[in-house]
Amino acid sequence: MKHTDERPRPAPALPTREPVRLVDRHGRRVGHSSFTAPDPARLVELHRAMLIGRRFNQQAGTLARQGRLAVYPSSTGQEAAQVGGVLALSDQDWLFPTYRDSVALVAHGVDPVRTLTLFRGDWHCGYDPHRYRCAPQCTPLATNASHAVGLTYAARRKGRDVAALAMMGDGATSEGDAHEAYNFAAVWNTPVVFLVQNNHWAISVPLHRQTAAPTLAHKAVGYGMKGYHVDGNDAAAVYAVVSHALAEARAGGGPAIVEAVTYRVDPHTNADAPQRYRDPAEVEHWKERDPLIRSERLIRDEGLLGDAEETERALAAFGAEADRIADTVRERLADGDELDPRSLFTDVYATVPPLLEQEHALLADELREV
């Protein structure tokens, strides 16, 4: 007799308290029983993409301070989590990013200028989601997780080999939307990997104030999913773990939560004042664990780019490429069309409510004064 509460899969094992690490903060390889570092070419590509991402973050932050962007949520310090996760995707997979994942979009191949469209205050996301297989950046926390579950559920019903990477922060795991997405993903066995970037702060709320779980990866077990706990500043480890989780999900092994432990070095956004809620010593602690420093040390120590002279030349070329991309972003935004704030009131209501009419008129008066 088949019982109605019979579970389709065995209970998953608990994730390890010690995060998976393949390269330590000094750039030295660390052995692991289940995961191995990617090949040298991929290690170099991870470093190059992180370097471009770091420079992109710096340029976008400057544009926000100059008023060319309405806001910018930097991910400086989180490059390894974003780049390592995105480069693990196959061509047919989809990416579901949040507002803090601009570096992930750039590493995914989205035009860097188009990536910033949301932060200019435009009404659309700036790029074609189908062309890049990348959903619009999601601002409401964890709502992109359900989108990823829905897309992969539909794809499986159509017999398509598609997996998805849904990105979120530690704060998003406390949202009801995350619970609903985790539950439906597990029950429907959809091929989704939820990459949680635990940067320790949900704006000004520290992690210990929002969860009592041993790790965020432990939450996976309650939903019947596998959970992985990984050093989010180790791009090699993130890439290896997410690649494994995506492959398992694609093969029918079920969704997973990957918690990447990292740190937001910059303020939450350019409108934030983190000195009001966090100790500067904590920031310095994490700067010593900078993901770019450890990957560069590995490349130099192991000669992944050749001898000392060849290494210097190649790293300088990566830096120059990152600068060129940043320069292009600045120049194209300066030459771009000015957005009309009054467009906020168009294409929403056939008959505009009186209150919105008043706000529209107020805005028009303010613009005339400017």
Side-chain angles (χ1 to χ4, degrees):
M1 182 179 73
K2 182 178 176 62
H3 295 284
T4 55
D5 64 345
E6 187 173 309
R7 301 298 192 271
R9 295 186 298 274
L14 288 171
T16 58
R17 291 291 296 269
E18 184 66 22
V20 176
R21 181 176 297 114
L22 302 177
V23 179
D24 69 15
R25 69 188 182 94
H26 303 292
R28 298 177 300 217
R29 289 183 186 260
V30 178
H32 195 276
S33 58
S34 301
F35 298 99
T36 56
D39 61 55
R42 180 60 78 180
L43 288 170
V44 170
E45 177 56 23
L46 288 166
H47 180 75
R48 172 182 164 273
M50 287 195 294
L51 198 60
I52 291 171
R54 176 67 57 87
R55 186 68 184 87
F56 175 84
N57 264 329
Q58 292 168 342
Q59 183 60 72
T62 300
L63 291 167
R65 289 190 292 275
Q66 292 173 342
R68 294 186 179 277
L69 300 179
V71 68
Y72 185 69
S74 171
S75 60
T76 294
Q78 300 179 217
E79 293 90 347
Q82 298 198 10
V83 168
V86 165
L87 293 190
L89 288 167
S90 297
D91 291 343
Q92 73 274 24
D93 295 337
W94 272 75
L95 174 65
F96 287 81
T98 73
Y99 60 90
R100 196 177 298 286
D101 300 321
S102 295
V103 167
L105 268 70
V106 173
H108 192 57
V110 177
D111 180 339
V113 173
R114 297 287 183 180
T115 296
L116 294 175
T117 301
L118 172 70
F119 307 112
R120 295 184 67 204
D122 211 337
W123 56 269
H124 56 78
C125 75
Y127 53 86
D128 181 351
H130 291 277
R131 175 184 174 189
Y132 295 103
R133 303 181 82 78
C134 178
Q137 288 175 277
C138 210
T139 300
L141 298 184
T143 51
N144 59 327
S146 293
H147 301 165
V149 174
L151 183 140
T152 50
Y153 176 72
R156 283 181 73 87
R157 286 183 64 88
K158 293 179 178 179
R160 294 175 182 170
D161 179 24
V162 175
L165 184 69
M167 306 183 79
M168 59 178 64
D170 47 281
T173 64
S174 297
E175 295 286 335
D177 297 81
H179 160 74
E180 292 158 8
Y182 295 163
N183 195 52
F184 275 115
V187 170
W188 288 344
N189 198 36
T190 59
V192 180
V193 173
F194 302 97
L195 177 57
V196 179
Q197 296 173 75
N198 172 10
N199 68 16
H200 291 73
W201 291 95
I203 307 183
S204 59
V205 179
L207 185 66
H208 70 270
R209 290 278 184 88
Q210 61 164 315
T211 181
T215 72
L216 296 176
H218 276 69
K219 293 188 176 186
V221 178
Y223 296 95
M225 290 190 283
K226 294 173 184 172
Y228 300 94
H229 190 214
V230 58
D231 183 341
N233 282 11
D234 177 2
V238 175
Y239 177 85
V241 171
V242 173
S243 296
H244 171 78
L246 283 169
E248 280 212 324
R250 194 179 292 110
I257 293 177
V258 176
E259 177 191 0
V261 182
T262 181
Y263 194 78
R264 166 171 58 81
V265 172
D266 285 343
H268 174 67
T269 69
N270 52 297
D272 182 31
Q275 66 274 16
R276 299 180 62 184
Y277 58 80
R278 71 180 183 185
D279 187 344
E282 180 182 274
V283 180
E284 294 306 312
H285 170 85
W286 282 96
K287 283 183 176 178
E288 294 174 358
R289 288 151 181 78
D290 189 304
L292 277 78
I293 292 176
R294 77 171 70 180
S295 65
E296 182 174 329
R297 284 175 176 165
L298 175 73
I299 287 171
R300 289 183 182 279
D301 292 347
E302 297 195 355
L304 302 184
L305 287 169
D307 61 27
E309 186 176 338
E310 291 168 333
T311 299
E312 291 299 333
R313 195 160 52 239
L315 291 175
F318 292 163
E321 180 186 10
D323 285 342
R324 280 197 303 274
I325 291 172
D327 291 346
T328 301
V329 168
R330 183 177 64 250
E331 291 164 4
R332 285 177 58 193
L333 279 181
D335 294 340
D337 297 334
E338 292 292 332
L339 301 179
D340 184 357
R342 291 170 296 187
S343 64
L344 286 169
F345 298 92
T346 61
D347 304 319
V348 178
Y349 289 96
T351 302
V352 180
L355 179 59
L356 284 184
E357 286 282 19
Q358 294 174 19
E359 292 179 353
H360 192 182
L362 179 62
L363 175 63
D365 288 343
E366 290 181 352
L367 291 173
R368 274 192 291 273
E369 291 175 3
V370 172

